[in-house]
Amino acid sequence: MTDILARRTLEEPAAEQAIEDLHVLLEQLWLDAAFVPAPDQMAFTTAVIEAASNVVQHGVPTEGATLLLGVELTVAVERLRAVISEIGAAPLDPVPDLAGPSDLPGPDDDALLEDYDESGRGLSMIRALVTTVTVEREGDTNVWVLSRDSGQG
Amino acid sequence: MEFTVQDKGHYTEVAANGRLNMVAAPKLRKVVDEVVNGGGKRIVVNLADTSFMDSSGLGALIGCLKLARQSGGDLRIAAVQPQVTMVLELTSMNRVLTPHATAGEAFGND
């Protein structure tokens, strides 16, 4: 079992305020885990905010439920891990393709500008910024797990 | 996030202070829309105090760039910080939004 050196959690309604609170939570995490190299902190923070924003923007609550965003961030010596839960959510339809190669970067500059797809880009960024990303259905919750190896930790 | 708009003579500077995320992105679009509607053609978004940008923020910048060009103008970015540089490079958007060292240099002698 890997020793957890720093941990932060959050659970609140999946709304804009949750994203602002998550930024603060990540800042607190890095104060506790200052040994994590800055590029790893930056990449992990970006991926976590992308995934959480995806929940707030696109999560669909099940009938009568309030959609909640749950986040658990843990830091081990060489591993950063985020469990992002979409609580009270309808199943993802379609389930995002997380296995394929990242479609970054794009074609020529004009097409790059015209074809910019914000939500698709967010998912591509997550895949590029972490070592593994998975999403699973557990009860009434869609659970995203992001993991990034932190090589020089 | 706070935005400050300043007429600098040959360009309009929009300084963005804070995190350019899904909360701030619509505000940036609104601010730049007002500059363009007010006749602003050359816009520089000063990112010196922008500590974070995600795909929503980048989407807003791309939307603002398109808006400026559709009105016969242009939008450039300046003083980009490391996390924003990472996102621009990761998405290859640095090819269409080339960072300039300072707001004053963004339009140079154009």
Side-chain angles (χ1 to χ4, degrees), chain A:
Chain A
M1 184 93 180
T2 309
D3 287 341
I4 302 300
L5 303 175
R7 182 173 180 270
R8 285 286 189 283
T9 61
L10 169 153
E11 185 177 311
E12 57 184 275
E16 289 183 349
Q17 186 57 47
I19 299 303
E20 300 292 15
D21 293 344
L22 183 53
H23 276 290
V24 175
L25 201 73
L26 281 155
E27 287 171 0
Q28 293 170 348
L29 181 77
W30 301 132
L31 288 177
D32 284 355
F35 62 88
V36 175
D40 288 326
Q41 293 187 18
M42 211 160 65
F44 186 71
T45 293
T46 306
V48 168
I49 294 292
E50 284 290 342
S53 298
N54 187 63
V55 172
V56 172
Q57 289 177 307
H58 304 295
V60 179
T62 53
E63 195 173 338
T66 299
L67 188 66
L68 297 177
L69 171 70
V71 180
E72 180 188 40
L73 308 169
T74 52
V75 177
V77 175
E78 294 182 339
R79 174 69 56 86
L80 312 173
R81 188 169 186 266
V83 179
I84 295 164
S85 301
E86 216 170 338
I87 304 163
L92 293 167
D93 182 24
V95 175
D97 174 20
L98 302 174
S102 168
D103 60 0
L104 308 170
D108 68 84
D109 291 359
D110 286 342
L112 199 62
L113 192 57
E114 287 309 314
D115 297 343
Y116 184 81
D117 168 15
E118 212 170 281
S119 59
R121 192 63 64 194
L123 195 56
S124 291
M125 279 173 55
I126 293 169
R127 283 157 50 190
L129 290 167
V130 298
T131 311
T132 62
V133 52
T134 61
V135 60
E136 289 184 0
R137 183 75 178 166
E138 292 181 10
D140 68 345
T141 302
N142 300 318
V143 182
W144 297 74
V145 180
L146 279 53
S147 178
R148 179 179 169 92
D149 294 341
S150 178
Q152 305 93 46

Side-chain angles (χ1 to χ4, degrees), chain A residues 27 46 50 105 107 109 116, chain B residues 19 54-55 66 83 92 95:
Chain A
E27 287 171 0
T46 306
E50 284 290 342
D109 291 359
Y116 184 81
Chain B
R19 303 180 191 105
D54 63 10
S55 62
K66 288 181 184 175
Q83 189 274 347
S92 297
R95 283 159 36 190

Side-chain angles (χ1 to χ4, degrees), chain B residues 84-96:
Chain B
V84 176
T85 299
M86 179 193 75
V87 170
L88 288 169
E89 291 177 352
L90 195 63
T91 56
S92 297
M93 284 299 164
N94 53 343
R95 283 159 36 190
V96 291

Side-chain angles (χ1 to χ4, degrees), chain B residues 17-39:
Chain B
N17 187 335
R19 303 180 191 105
L20 188 48
N21 58 14
M22 60 164 279
V23 182
K27 297 176 190 169
L28 173 63
R29 289 180 196 263
K30 185 169 180 287
V31 167
V32 171
D33 188 57
E34 285 171 2
V35 171
V36 171
N37 282 332

